[in-house]
Amino acid sequence: MEGRITEAALVLPALYLMSLHDGKIGTSDLIKELTDIMHPRGEDVQILDNRRDTRFSQIVRNLKSHNTFNRNGFADYEDGCFQITKAGQEHLEANREVLNYLLDNNFSYKDITDSFVKIETTKKQKKIEVFDEEAWINEGGKKETKTARYDRSARLRDYAREKFTIDGQICCTCCRFNFNKFYGQELGRDYIEIHHIKPIFKYEDEDMEKTLKEALKNLVPLCSNCHSMIHRNRKEPLDVETLKEIIENTSMKNTIPIANPII
Ligand SMILES: [Zn+2]
Ligand SMILES: [Zn+2]
C-alpha cells in the first residue's frame, strides 16, 4: 500500500514553504501547499474514520501537536503559524539542492518521502550529492549552472551507457527502438536517454564507484518517445513494466488493420 507518510518526511518541505512565505505559514496553508508540492497518494489521501481529515493533513497537524519543530529547533509555533528559526534556515540551505532535486524530478511519492526521512535520520549531517536526470538525459542538456552536479551526472551517464551497451548497441527497454539502426551510425550512434527510477544520493565521503554501481540498478535506457510517455503525467511517472505492457497490447491491436485492410 502506498502512502503512510511520517512527520520526518515533512520537515524539509515545510521549512521550504515557511521560507517562501517570509519565514512563516499557518497550518491550513501548510497542508494545502505541502499537498501541492508532494502529491500525496494511497492511504495518505484517504479520509480518516470519524474525521474530515486525510491521513496526510493529520500528520501535518501533528507537527504542531507533537512539537516536532520545537524539538529539533528548526521552527517555532506562535499565533497559529509555524515560524522558521535560524537553525531551520541553516538546515534548509544545507539541503536545498537535494530538496529541489526530489521535488523537480517526478519521482514517486513514496520515493520522495522515503528520501526526506533518510535525510532527517542521517545522524551526522553529511553533505548529500545528487544526480539530476534532467541534467544528463541529453548530450547537450547542460542547462545546469552547477558544474559539479553536471560532472557527477555525466559520469553516471557515461557509466550507464557503457553498461547498457550489448554487442555495440543500446536499445530502448520498452519498445526496443535503436537509434543507431534507425538513424544510421553517423547520426544515431550511441544515442539513448536514461530514465532514473529512484532518487540517487551520495554522501560526500562515500565511494563514487560504489555509488555508481548501486545507482545503475535505478537506471533504464529509453528512447525519447517512451521516456516522454513515462513522464507524461508530471506528478507520477509511469512504471517501466506498465509501459511495456501498454506497448505490447496496443501495437498488437494496431497491426490488425494493417493485416486486414478495409478499403
Ligand atoms: Zn522506446
Ligand atoms: Zn525519466
Side-chain angles (χ1 to χ4, degrees):
M1 189 69 178
E2 259 194 294
R4 306 215 57 90
I5 197 171
T6 59
E7 285 170 58
L10 297 174
V11 170
L12 262 184
L15 291 175
Y16 163 71
L17 291 172
M18 288 173 219
S19 82
L20 277 189
H21 294 272
D22 293 329
K24 62 178 182 180
I25 191 166
T27 312
S28 44
D29 285 338
L30 186 59
I31 290 170
K32 190 188 161 294
E33 296 196 20
L34 281 172
T35 304
D36 288 345
I37 63 170
M38 297 183 74
H39 315 297
R41 305 176 80 81
E43 264 183 74
D44 286 348
V45 289
Q46 283 165 19
I47 307 285
L48 295 171
D49 291 341
N50 308 320
R51 296 214 187 97
R52 285 183 302 170
D53 255 356
T54 62
R55 186 169 182 282
F56 185 83
S57 50
Q58 191 56 47
I59 300 294
V60 179
R61 283 183 214 287
N62 287 350
L63 291 172
K64 175 189 160 241
S65 53
H66 295 170
N67 287 320
T68 310
F69 283 120
N70 293 76
R71 270 187 282 121
N72 59 31
F74 293 159
D76 296 320
Y77 192 82
E78 263 173 55
D79 303 327
C81 282
F82 290 101
Q83 180 134 25
I84 193 167
T85 62
K86 197 164 174 290
Q89 262 156 6
E90 283 165 5
H91 185 60
L92 176 63
E93 285 319 313
N95 294 289
R96 197 178 275 278
E97 191 186 13
V98 72
L99 175 90
N100 291 339
Y101 163 75
L102 288 171
L103 297 180
D104 291 346
N105 271 288
N106 305 317
F107 295 119
S108 75
Y109 172 61
K110 183 176 187 309
D111 288 332
I112 292 172
T113 52
D114 286 352
S115 302
F116 280 132
V117 171
K118 204 169 146 193
I119 294 165
E120 297 309 327
T121 52
T122 301
K123 281 279 173 277
K124 221 167 42 183
Q125 281 295 327
K126 288 187 276 188
K127 181 141 175 35
I128 303 172
E129 298 177 338
V130 297
F131 296 88
D132 192 324
E133 180 175 84
E134 293 298 321
W136 51 272
I137 54 171
N138 296 309
E139 210 86 46
K142 202 172 177 174
K143 57 185 174 185
E144 287 301 318
T145 49
K146 288 175 185 130
T147 319
R149 186 164 165 187
Y150 177 78
D151 288 346
R152 286 194 298 277
S153 297
R155 276 187 72 184
L156 181 57
R157 184 194 62 210
D158 293 345
Y159 187 79
R161 278 220 177 124
E162 194 189 306
K163 294 286 169 191
F164 292 135
T165 302
I166 298 159
D167 296 333
Q169 307 287 339
I170 308 181
C171 292
C172 171
T173 304
C174 289
C175 74
R176 313 306 298 162
F177 186 86
N178 181 302
F179 285 87
N180 186 9
K181 286 193 177 146
F182 194 86
Y183 293 106
Q185 178 76 353
E186 199 182 314
L187 184 61
R189 184 173 52 90
D190 287 348
Y191 189 86
I192 199 75
E193 295 189 5
I194 310 276
H195 173 58
H196 188 172
I197 302 168
K198 283 174 184 292
I200 299 167
F201 294 147
K202 175 186 170 298
Y203 293 102
E204 65 183 340
D205 50 358
E206 270 171 10
D207 180 44
M208 185 70 174
E209 289 306 312
K210 220 180 111 200
T211 307
L212 293 180
K213 279 209 180 79
E214 201 51 41
L216 197 65
K217 295 176 195 161
N218 290 312
L219 304 179
V220 185
L222 290 176
C223 75
S224 314
N225 282 343
C226 290
H227 201 191
S228 300
M229 289 301 106
I230 277 183
H231 288 292
R232 188 154 192 202
N233 177 355
R234 302 286 300 171
K235 290 176 185 171
E236 193 79 7
L238 208 60
D239 199 74
V240 170
E241 287 308 311
T242 309
L243 184 63
K244 261 190 186 171
E245 280 169 32
I246 290 172
I247 293 171
E248 273 165 33
N249 294 336
T250 314
S251 48
M252 243 160 50
K253 275 186 219 140
N254 287 346
T255 59
I256 297 168
I258 298 166
N260 304 291
I262 304 159
I263 302 162

